Amino acid sequence: SGRSSIIVKDEIEASELKFGEEIGSGFYGKVFKGEWRGAPVAIKVLRDDKMDVSQLEALDREVNIMRNLRPHKNVLRYYGI
């Protein structure tokens, strides 16, 4: 159908995020330390001008992988998009 499997229930309101320092950047965007509902998180901010269908499909795959990972001390937990 061409629709992403990223579902609305995973959506986090931007107003709930507290941004900290930038910890990484690349062609598709930047990653920041942050906080969401009191929990430390990494916040990935994508560049709209770099997102095409193939990048959206890659993001969809990444989200699906993160959703299904078992908890591990060396892997960030997925909370939402």
Side-chain angles (χ1 to χ4, degrees):
S1 71
R3 266 187 77 110
S4 170
S5 65
I6 299 171
I7 53 178
V8 175
K9 77 173 188 169
D10 288 354
E11 189 171 339
I12 294 174
E13 292 293 326
S15 62
E16 292 185 88
L17 296 169
K18 293 181 183 176
F19 282 75
E21 68 181 289
E22 181 180 319
I23 56 175
S25 65
F27 185 74
Y28 297 109
K30 296 180 180 185
V31 179
F32 298 85
K33 283 186 180 181
E35 190 175 303
W36 177 67
R37 296 184 178 177
V41 295
I43 303 168
K44 184 181 280 190
V45 178
L46 302 174
R47 291 180 52 181
D48 289 339
D49 63 325
K50 299 297 180 190
M51 296 303 289
D52 61 19
V53 173
S54 65
Q55 278 73 43
L56 289 172
E57 289 171 347
L59 175 62
D60 188 54
R61 287 190 299 273
E62 179 182 353
V63 166
N64 284 317
I65 290 168
M66 294 297 292
R67 275 189 190 130
N68 295 305
L69 288 176
R70 292 189 173 137
H72 188 279
K73 65 179 183 174
N74 295 331
V75 178
L76 291 172
R77 180 176 170 200
Y78 170 80
Y79 288 108
I81 189 163

